[in-house]
Amino acid sequence: MSLEPFSQSAALTFGVELELQLVNLSDFDLTAASPDLLHLLGKNPFPGNVTPEITESMIEINSSVHTEHAPLLAQLQEIRDTLVAAGDKLNIGISGGGTHPFQQWAAQKIFSKPRFKEISELYGYLAKQFTIFGQHVHIGCASGDDAMFLLHSLNRYIPHFIALSASSPFVQGRDTLFDSARLNSVFAFPMSGRAPFTLSWDEFANQYFAKMEKTGIIKSMKDFYWDIRPKPEFGTIELRVCDTPLTVERAAALAAYLQALCRHLLERREAAPAEDDYLVYNYNRFQACRFGLDGAITHPKTYETMSLREDIMTTLRKMEPHGEALGSTAALKHLSDVTKLWSDAQYLRTQYDRQGSAEGMVDAAIRSFRGEPMHF
């Protein structure tokens, strides 16, 4: 069985998925509350979609398909308010952040769903260690060839999204010294990393995917945990490197930045992507995970080493005409302020020091998700 045809969708439409933490407000540890929360949310219309995730201490929310930043943000805020109200009824805190700072993976429960049980049987303890929380952004593509072009053209900008979303400095009660430790857990899976290089959808579908399917290792695109992957059934590419931010405002801004970048890349004024671009890919990815905005990356074409913070600022300025055309000027301004001031990872470390405990840091994250002001 070959891969399904690439569904044409309106170019540059976008949508967001957010994996969120369910927290016990007594001890601020994760709690296996998703069955109860999903049951409660199912009683009334939900402004988007909400589904279980692999363990019962997490859920995933999905926005609708949008064309502009403001409607996406408004929907995410409505989803947030709906979740917070439901959580209050169950005495559950809802939080962003790429990792919970002190949960123990062995205590997690796999959600009762056939695919999750299959993953647990195949990957063993890695399945429970996958209690990590990411933001995924889908961008609509007019064709499969455009999808492959964007997928590989974006490799240069992957560190931007890692650093701008980084919110997972603590794991198992320790500061990892990484701004985004979450991606280290993703990298443990054999089908993680990056997609093979081809700019042809026909070649990807009928050669690479067909061969991989014949090996029996994979059955569908869901079996690939790549940093960016095509989603032919939606007609999109899906960016998967972002930690779940502490606020929906940051999540919406990141999606708008990706939309602007894709509009820019589709003008095809930059040098075409090539296999050799990936020579520096893992190094740049590591720099963004480890040091966040303070990292240094190597340009894939010139091999020039540059400040990640400065590269983001330069790119945001370059995206301003696209932001004006797409209605996302406010989103780009939000990310510019983030780059100048602090990331979510820095905020969490500051809260740990200020509150004096990991529990206090989780409480601050819950308050941030609710929309309360973040005080440094």
Side-chain angles (χ1 to χ4, degrees):
M1 182 178 69
S2 61
L3 184 61
E4 60 195 282
F6 192 88
S7 298
Q8 185 178 18
S9 64
L12 302 178
T13 51
F14 63 157
V16 165
E17 302 166 358
L18 294 176
E19 296 162 343
L20 296 168
Q21 305 182 29
L22 305 181
V23 178
N24 184 319
L25 294 178
S26 298
D27 60 8
F28 292 99
D29 200 351
L30 292 181
T31 182
S34 66
D36 291 339
L37 182 62
L38 291 166
H39 176 73
L40 179 59
L41 292 170
K43 293 182 178 181
N44 296 294
F46 190 81
N49 193 33
V50 58
T51 58
E53 255 300 337
I54 189 163
T55 61
E56 292 186 354
S57 55
M58 56 195 304
I59 57 168
E60 179 179 278
I61 59 169
N62 311 101
S63 75
S64 305
V65 178
H66 294 274
T67 58
E68 294 187 357
H69 167 252
L72 170 66
L73 175 57
Q75 185 184 36
L76 288 178
Q77 289 171 332
E78 185 181 2
I79 289 172
R80 174 200 64 198
D81 293 345
T82 303
L83 288 175
V84 166
D88 287 347
K89 290 181 180 179
L90 297 173
N91 201 35
I92 296 167
I94 313 290
S95 175
T99 56
H100 183 278
F102 59 87
Q103 64 91 14
Q104 299 295 312
W105 65 263
Q108 301 309 317
K109 299 178 181 178
I110 300 295
F111 191 93
S112 183
K113 187 177 178 181
R115 175 168 171 76
F116 295 153
K117 290 182 178 180
E118 289 177 14
I119 292 172
S120 180
E121 290 172 2
L122 175 60
Y123 290 114
Y125 83 108
L126 290 179
K128 289 187 177 183
Q129 283 205 333
F130 215 48
T131 305
I132 51 178
F133 308 85
Q135 172 180 353
H136 304 163
V137 184
H138 287 263
I139 298 288
C141 301
S143 69
D145 286 352
D146 276 357
M148 299 311 294
F149 172 81
L150 285 175
L151 186 154
H152 292 295
S153 297
L154 285 166
N155 86 80
R156 148 97 173 82
Y157 301 100
I158 288 298
H160 292 204
F161 289 92
I162 294 173
L164 287 168
S165 68
S167 58
S168 53
F170 286 78
V171 173
Q172 304 281 293
R174 303 294 182 190
D175 188 334
T176 64
L177 302 184
F178 278 71
D179 274 18
S180 175
R182 166 185 160 271
L183 282 174
N184 294 329
S185 296
V186 178
F187 230 32
F189 286 78
M191 294 292 104
S192 63
R194 55 96 168 182
F197 186 81
T198 174
L199 300 179
S200 163
W201 178 256
D202 180 72
E203 182 179 342
F204 175 81
N206 297 317
Q207 295 186 39
Y208 175 80
F209 185 88
K211 289 178 182 177
M212 287 300 296
E213 188 179 43
K214 191 175 293 185
T215 68
I217 295 172
I218 59 100
K219 297 177 182 178
S220 74
M221 285 303 304
K222 286 184 177 181
D223 296 320
F224 293 112
Y225 293 86
W226 295 333
D227 293 345
I228 316 179
R229 68 184 180 190
K231 293 289 284 184
E233 66 270 34
F234 298 150
T236 66
I237 56 169
E238 179 188 15
L239 178 74
R240 299 169 52 82
V241 297
C242 295
D243 287 356
T244 297
L246 297 182
T247 67
V248 296
E249 288 77 14
R250 181 75 45 84
L254 288 165
Y257 181 36
L258 181 62
Q259 182 194 36
L261 270 173
C262 288
R263 187 177 191 268
H264 168 73
L265 292 168
L266 285 171
E267 292 180 344
R268 288 175 165 78
R269 295 179 182 176
E270 294 193 0
E275 174 65 45
D276 279 357
D277 295 347
Y278 287 100
L279 292 173
V280 299
Y281 183 79
N282 285 341
Y283 170 81
N284 289 345
R285 189 182 187 274
F286 165 79
Q287 280 282 318
C289 289
R290 172 64 177 85
F291 300 106
L293 295 167
D294 293 323
I297 60 171
T298 299
H299 194 286
K301 300 293 188 185
T302 66
Y303 301 156
E304 174 192 2
T305 298
M306 61 188 75
S307 156
L308 179 51
R309 178 178 274 105
E310 288 303 316
D311 191 43
I312 292 172
M313 292 299 298
T314 299
T315 306
L316 286 170
R317 287 191 291 269
K318 188 186 294 186
M319 291 305 109
E320 287 175 0
H322 300 288
E324 291 175 5
L326 294 166
S328 55
T329 299
L332 300 183
K333 172 65 164 57
H334 174 99
L335 295 179
S336 177
D337 291 342
V338 169
T339 307
K340 294 173 186 174
L341 300 175
W342 64 77
S343 68
D344 281 348
Q346 292 170 306
Y347 178 77
L348 289 170
R349 286 191 172 105
T350 299
Q351 290 302 309
Y352 180 83
D353 292 339
R354 178 175 294 174
Q355 305 294 337
S357 69
E359 290 81 1
M361 177 172 53
V362 175
D363 184 42
I366 291 169
R367 293 178 184 278
S368 297
F369 185 77
R370 294 178 72 98
E372 296 183 16
M374 297 171 67
H375 299 294
F376 225 74

